[in-house]
Amino acid sequence: MCVSPRRSVADTLETRQRILDRSLAIASAEGLEGLTIGRLADELGMSKAGLLGHFGTKEGLQLAVVDEAAAVFAREVPQRVKQLPSGLPRLKAVCEAWVSYLEREVLPGGCFFTAATTEFDGRSGRVREALAGMNALWRRDLRIHARRAISDGDLPADTDVEQLIYEIIGIMLALNHFLQLEHDSSAPVRARKALDRLFSAR
Amino acid sequence: MCVSPRRSVADTLETRQRILDRSLAIASAEGLEGLTIGRLADELGMSKAGLLGHFGTKEGLQLAVVDEAAAVFAREVPQRVKQLPSGLPRLKAVCEAWVSYLEREVLPGGCFFTAATTEFDGRSGRVREALAGMNALWRRDLRIHARRAISDGDLPADTDVEQLIYEIIGIMLALNHFLQLEHDSSAPVRARKALDRLFSAR
DNA sequence: CCTACCGATCGGTAGG
DNA sequence: CCTACCGATCGGTAGG
């Protein structure tokens, strides 16, 4: 009985979490398509069938990994600054937490969303839509803080909010690029300098 | 004799070019790893063996595609502004040609180098090194024009050239991101606005 | 959660 | 440039 394959709900959830943790590490470095069932099962010491039981199909696994990546990002970035009131201080703190997140290389392949979005932006299907949705939600967060900063008088009344968001995202994409491709340790300094210029000299 | 598989050198080069054109289109949308020999041979109406004869291995094909992408980029961006003298006018024109290149969606999946670099930055091997080399060569081009702009007095003497390059690359990565993921047709306007701010308000 | 298996496709080679 | 083939791996299923 004790060594039977039947497990408790808690055990099942723990196994599921183990799969997702490993999947996220692999996918950030090798892509969501490079994440194969056989290799993943091998690394986790379980069978492909046992693994697929948790997610149904590879697409189900990919969608679960996207959710897991969002949870990690939320824990590492917005949650760390949620005590600050919305507005310019919060927006600046979000950006600093974002730079720090990329700088600390929490995932081995850098930003999962950058890698996965670039990989899937030319395709169609549920994974692409899930990624687009996460990106949209995150821009919405930034937009709320930027608008509040304007109504607080901390950013000029004529600030182009979508332009601001565009430039923030560019700074973060460049940070990920220089860290991952060039292993350029001065990239975080450059990101911070660009953000300073963005928030002050407008 | 006439319908024999023996072809002239010119025919061989033409076939090679056909393979590379198709490969570049596929790789920009689906990635350099998603470019499979079987599918490519199928789309071109030839055998896998005939195709591999031109490049030896898949890695050989991938390296040839990187070179082809560099040739297309060179033709579409730096070559279009080579008549301008090095310095700020040339740097600005290069950036405008770059924006225009992405805006016109010359390749179906957007910027090949953005896609391929993001795909390979977490790996090792000759393809990764080739991509890193192309990126470095391009930054060198930008650096030369930026330094000339400074010595011409068109940019402040204390301009941080590497910072400038970092920010230009961020603007282009964001442009590719918003075009490919969001199909946001206002992204080129944002890119141009960000570049204006970068070159004037320093 | 497992073993055992499926058809399809992968990169690549032998031989012509 | 082709046909015919190789072993390995892909995602996934049947049955327990």
Side-chain angles (χ1 to χ4, degrees):
Chain A
M1 278 296 241
C2 294
V3 287
S4 100
R6 281 275 168 273
R7 301 295 188 82
S8 70
V9 173
D11 282 347
T12 299
L13 285 177
E14 196 185 305
T15 300
R16 189 188 145 92
Q17 193 58 49
R18 267 186 66 233
I19 298 170
L20 288 177
D21 288 346
R22 192 95 208 88
S23 296
L24 191 52
I26 294 174
S28 78
E30 324 244 6
L32 265 175
E33 212 60 63
L35 175 69
T36 68
I37 313 290
R39 174 190 167 180
L40 184 56
D42 222 55
E43 290 192 20
L44 291 167
M46 61 191 295
S47 68
K48 293 195 295 173
L51 196 154
L52 270 181
H54 289 270
F55 308 99
T57 62
K58 175 161 184 176
E59 189 183 53
L61 170 65
Q62 291 173 325
L63 290 167
V65 172
V66 172
D67 280 341
E68 177 64 17
V72 169
F73 186 81
R75 188 210 306 147
E76 295 286 339
V77 183
Q79 297 266 21
R80 294 202 175 201
V81 297
K82 67 175 178 188
Q83 77 286 358
L84 289 169
S86 184
L88 189 61
R90 174 85 160 264
L91 184 58
K92 284 184 170 178
V94 162
C95 289
E96 170 52 33
W98 196 353
V99 170
S100 166
Y101 168 66
L102 293 172
E103 186 177 24
R104 284 176 289 132
E105 307 217 29
V106 174
L107 295 174
C111 181
F112 166 83
F113 282 103
T114 298
T117 293
T118 307
E119 185 180 6
F120 276 78
D121 62 16
R123 310 185 189 191
S124 58
R126 297 177 65 191
V127 176
R128 194 217 129 97
E129 296 318 309
L131 289 165
M134 294 295 182
N135 274 284
L137 273 178
W138 180 234
R139 284 198 306 275
R140 185 171 168 276
D141 242 46
L142 298 175
R143 195 176 297 121
I144 287 169
H145 301 318
R147 285 189 182 152
R148 183 62 182 253
I150 294 171
S151 66
D152 286 350
D154 289 337
L155 282 179
D158 66 346
T159 301
D160 182 338
V161 172
E162 299 308 316
Q163 181 73 24
L164 187 67
I165 292 170
Y166 177 99
E167 297 198 29
I168 291 171
I169 289 175
I171 291 167
M172 299 304 172
L173 288 171
L175 176 54
N176 194 63
H177 174 89
F178 281 95
L179 281 175
Q180 296 301 313
L181 185 66
E182 315 288 342
H183 303 298
D184 180 351
S185 57
S186 60
V189 178
R190 300 239 160 78
R192 292 186 175 100
K193 192 168 164 184
L195 288 167
D196 280 347
R197 203 171 65 82
L198 192 60
F199 288 129
S200 59
R202 296 186 77 83
Chain B
M1 277 297 238
C2 296
V3 287
S4 98
R6 282 275 168 271
R7 301 294 187 83
S8 71
V9 173
D11 282 346
T12 299
L13 285 177
E14 195 185 305
T15 300
R16 188 188 146 93
Q17 192 59 48
R18 268 186 66 233
I19 298 170
L20 287 177
D21 287 346
R22 192 94 207 89
S23 295
L24 191 51
I26 295 174
S28 78
E30 325 244 5
L32 266 176
E33 212 60 62
L35 175 70
T36 67
I37 312 291
R39 175 190 167 181
L40 183 56
D42 221 54
E43 289 191 20
L44 291 167
M46 61 190 296
S47 67
K48 293 196 295 173
L51 197 154
L52 271 180
H54 289 270
F55 309 99
T57 63
K58 175 161 183 176
E59 190 183 53
L61 170 65
Q62 289 174 326
L63 290 167
V65 172
V66 172
D67 281 341
E68 177 64 17
V72 170
F73 186 81
R75 188 211 306 144
E76 295 287 339
V77 182
Q79 296 266 22
R80 295 202 175 203
V81 297
K82 67 175 177 189
Q83 77 286 358
L84 289 169
S86 185
L88 189 60
R90 174 87 160 260
L91 183 58
K92 283 183 171 179
V94 162
C95 288
E96 170 52 33
W98 195 354
V99 170
S100 166
Y101 168 66
L102 293 172
E103 186 177 24
R104 284 177 288 132
E105 309 217 28
V106 173
L107 295 174
C111 180
F112 166 82
F113 282 104
T114 298
T117 294
T118 307
E119 186 180 4
F120 277 77
D121 62 15
R123 309 185 190 191
S124 58
R126 297 176 64 192
V127 177
R128 193 216 129 96
E129 297 318 309
L131 290 165
M134 294 297 182
N135 274 284
L137 272 179
W138 181 233
R139 285 198 306 276
R140 184 171 168 276
D141 242 45
L142 298 175
R143 194 177 298 122
I144 287 168
H145 300 318
R147 286 190 181 150
R148 182 61 182 254
I150 293 170
S151 66
D152 286 350
D154 289 336
L155 282 178
D158 66 344
T159 301
D160 181 339
V161 172
E162 298 309 315
Q163 181 74 25
L164 187 69
I165 292 170
Y166 177 99
E167 298 197 31
I168 290 171
I169 289 175
I171 291 166
M172 299 306 172
L173 288 172
L175 176 54
N176 193 64
H177 174 89
F178 280 95
L179 281 175
Q180 296 302 313
L181 184 66
E182 315 288 343
H183 302 299
D184 180 352
S185 57
S186 60
V189 178
R190 300 239 160 77
R192 291 185 174 101
K193 192 168 163 184
L195 288 167
D196 280 347
R197 203 171 64 83
L198 192 59
F199 287 128
S200 59
R202 297 185 75 85

